[in-house]
Amino acid sequence: MAITGASDARTVPPAPPVATMPVSLEINGRRHDLRLDPRTTLLDTLRDHLHLTGTKKGCDHGQCGACTVIVNGQRINSCLSLALQHDSDKVTTIEGLGQPDHLHPMQAAFVKHDGFQCGYCTPGQICSAVAVLAEIKAGIPSHVSPDLAALMHPTNAELRERMSGNICRCGAYSNIVEAIADVAGAVA
Amino acid sequence: MRAFTYERATSAAGAAAAVAHHAGAKFLGGGTNLLDLMKLEIETPTHLVDIQDLKLDQIEATHDGGLRIGAFVSNTTLSANPRVRRDYAVLTRAIQAGASGQLRNKATTAGNLLQRTRCPYFYDTNQPCNKRTPGSGCAAIGGYSRQLAVIGTSDTCIATYPGDMAVALRALDATVETVDATGATRVIPIADFHRLPGATPEIDTVLNHGELITAVTLPKPVGGAHIYRKVRDRASYAFALVSVAAVVQPDGSGRVAFGGVAPKPWRSAAADAAIPHGAAAVVEQAFAGARPTHDNSFKLTLAKRTLAAAMAQVRTA
């Protein structure tokens, strides 16, 4: 059997052009009007079209949480969402939470508690953590909540369960949970 | 990802018509499973009909004391609903036992029902899989089958229905409401909603092409102790090896559905009737005729132990 890769590459017709569609997103308080290939995920929109590269692409399949952003107050995996699904939505990324000269309390707590090593998962961890404390405050139960009728508390077990969608390959989990607990204590 | 066109539907029947009249079209709910599969080109829709503007995001009381859950209600919203927590706690527990916080915020009630198997051979496009590519064969049979089904399988497919929410819905006797392109509606008992593979494992449910789920309805509360017990390879964010949704009454009677063991949530009247006689009797009934593989026969023992643990939880509740 001859190796035919080169001739195959010449005979495969180019993909037809894809019609773009308009979408308007409010990202970190600023409106962006874009035209996108419908396939464009929210993650790729942030990184490749708006150059907001704080949000990270890890697995691109919703398994690692590195792409976590906050949309209309709720954390989601931006890799598993089309930008077109978010027309008129309000998106907060790590850049919108805080900047080096005015850190969000969760960012400051991650620095204080050394809640990272390589830092790649950190923007997703921080966006997720901010949303986790809001979810606990709103009384949303979790798998480890002992009583569905009671108020929810930011216990170690709750924080670990609720953060399970954010993987840290460096294994900084203990310090991440300490950072979140610190902020939870400060706002309680 | 293959190219597709996108539209936002403005009515339920309009959405159904948009999909029905387009052979390659699919509904788009949250997208957490569909987009994952589209990136892998396991799903290759040519047109997506987004249902987010159809106002299917409400949870309402029904006239007979039950609850009607809109198709677009998120998993988080459903699990946190005060009436669900009080009257259908097994559903809250099941939803919270699945996925991650990020996914539950985005995933919808209808989408959760329609999520596809996580059989590793379905996901690996280099492998034969009758569910992904009809007629190509099943690499799971004789392959790595530890996570796969022990009952309800066929010679063409041993994939497991992966979800948790539907296992609780099965124990609660929920119904699924749909509408088609003509505006006709139908009500499907959850027991009949998911199909067994037989000779056509590529068809997961009884829905027709272009039939849109509009709501899931729970009958009036049945009381009792509500337990969802899930066993998995890690403490959080993993699919079930075995799960048990149990509702047990003070007189010892009850109902039980199993997840992680079959192509659909697994429940039988004979198994329910055996609940007063203990976990071993229930599992003997529920898994009569089971055809486990060498790799997953442990699930029969695990099902018995998981149910025993759930029933112990009921006694101490």
Side-chain angles (χ1 to χ4, degrees):
Chain A
M1 192 77 181
I3 296 169
T4 56
S7 62
D8 281 350
R10 280 195 299 273
T11 54
V12 172
V18 175
T20 59
M21 290 188 72
V23 62
S24 177
L25 302 167
E26 187 183 317
I27 297 165
N28 302 329
R30 192 176 146 205
R31 183 175 155 167
H32 297 267
D33 295 306
L34 303 164
R35 285 200 71 93
L36 298 171
D37 180 322
R39 289 174 286 190
T40 316
T41 61
L42 180 58
L43 172 61
D44 289 343
T45 304
L46 293 170
R47 288 184 56 84
D48 299 341
H49 294 262
L50 301 171
H51 309 298
L52 290 166
T53 53
T55 306
K56 296 295 186 269
K57 182 181 281 193
C59 68
D60 209 24
H61 287 280
Q63 297 174 5
C64 77
C67 69
T68 303
V69 298
I70 301 170
V71 176
N72 299 337
Q74 291 194 312
R75 57 180 170 144
I76 65 166
N77 302 112
S78 62
C79 74
L80 288 185
S81 220
L82 299 172
L84 294 180
Q85 290 176 272
H86 295 287
D87 193 44
S88 305
D89 283 355
K90 292 178 167 57
V91 182
T92 302
T93 69
I94 190 71
E95 292 93 340
L97 281 181
Q99 290 288 325
D101 57 344
H102 51 94
L103 293 178
H104 184 281
M106 192 64 75
Q107 291 171 316
F110 268 64
V111 173
K112 177 182 162 189
H113 292 276
D114 200 14
F116 45 81
Q117 284 185 42
C118 81
Y120 195 80
C121 73
T122 310
Q125 297 277 1
I126 290 175
C127 285
S128 203
V130 168
V132 160
L133 295 188
E135 288 165 13
I136 290 172
K137 213 170 178 180
I140 293 167
S142 86
H143 175 59
V144 299
S145 305
D147 181 357
L148 295 181
L151 291 173
M152 300 296 147
H153 300 287
T155 62
N156 186 278
E158 286 279 5
L159 296 178
R160 285 177 179 273
E161 161 61 24
R162 290 170 191 264
M163 291 295 293
S164 71
N166 291 84
I167 309 299
C168 171
R169 292 298 295 271
C170 301
Y173 296 111
S174 296
N175 293 359
I176 290 170
V177 171
E178 280 181 21
I180 303 170
D182 192 348
V183 177
V187 298
Chain B
M1 199 187 297
R2 303 280 180 89
F4 58 86
T5 48
Y6 171 96
E7 73 174 286
R8 284 206 187 183
T10 53
S11 74
V19 171
H21 299 147
H22 197 310
K26 277 193 171 285
F27 299 111
L28 176 63
T32 54
N33 187 218
L34 182 58
L35 292 181
D36 183 24
L37 294 169
M38 286 167 64
K39 288 180 181 189
L40 297 165
E41 300 194 355
I42 294 167
E43 294 277 7
T44 54
T46 54
H47 186 61
L48 289 183
V49 178
D50 189 333
I51 66 155
Q52 68 173 287
D53 296 332
L54 302 186
K55 300 186 170 55
L56 300 176
D57 57 354
Q58 301 298 309
I59 301 176
E60 307 157 323
T62 61
H63 65 273
D64 59 354
L67 218 50
R68 187 169 183 276
I69 304 151
F72 201 73
V73 171
S74 78
N75 291 174
T76 298
T77 300
L78 177 55
S79 74
N81 178 274
R83 275 208 57 190
V84 175
R85 285 155 77 163
R86 188 187 69 203
D87 296 333
Y88 309 96
V90 66
L91 180 55
T92 292
R93 291 295 188 189
I95 292 170
Q96 288 297 338
S100 67
Q102 291 96 316
L103 290 168
R104 291 190 296 267
N105 281 342
K106 192 84 192 315
T108 64
T109 303
N112 192 320
L113 282 178
L114 293 174
Q115 67 178 305
R116 308 213 64 193
T117 187
R118 266 42 170 219
C119 174
Y121 299 98
F122 177 74
Y123 263 76
D124 183 349
T125 52
N126 294 309
Q127 299 279 352
C129 169
N130 288 319
K131 189 182 275 298
R132 172 170 35 77
T133 310
S136 63
C138 174
I141 296 172
Y144 178 73
S145 58
R146 179 174 173 273
Q147 294 157 298
L148 303 179
V150 298
I151 194 163
T153 57
S154 73
D155 292 338
T156 67
C157 184
I158 59 170
T160 310
Y161 173 77
D164 293 293
M165 182 191 83
V167 183
L169 293 178
R170 182 72 183 89
L172 292 168
D173 286 329
T175 53
V176 181
E177 295 177 28
T178 69
V179 65
D180 71 14
T182 68
T185 60
R186 71 165 166 158
V187 175
I188 306 164
I190 188 74
D192 302 331
F193 183 78
H194 293 104
R195 287 180 72 256
L196 295 181
T200 52
E202 70 275 18
I203 308 169
D204 289 349
T205 72
V206 298
L207 294 180
N208 299 311
H209 180 70
E211 188 175 8
L212 175 70
I213 298 175
T214 50
V216 171
T217 297
L218 302 174
K220 70 175 192 231
V222 295
H226 287 226
I227 306 286
Y228 191 77
R229 188 110 184 176
K230 177 175 177 179
V231 180
R232 44 188 161 173
D233 283 332
R234 57 187 184 205
S236 183
Y237 198 18
F239 288 93
L241 289 168
V242 169
S243 70
V244 168
V247 177
V248 182
Q249 301 298 337
D251 68 1
S253 68
R255 36 176 84 188
V256 60
F258 293 89
V261 294
K264 60 191 287 185
W266 201 251
R267 180 181 169 195
S268 75
D272 282 2
I275 288 176
H277 306 294
V282 173
V283 167
E284 193 177 318
Q285 292 296 332
F287 293 92
R291 294 198 312 169
T293 67
H294 177 266
D295 282 355
N296 69 17
S297 58
F298 75 94
K299 286 193 176 188
L300 298 173
T301 311
L302 188 58
K304 186 168 67 186
R305 291 176 178 169
T306 308
L307 179 60
M311 290 165 84
Q313 214 173 322
V314 170
R315 287 192 292 275
T316 58

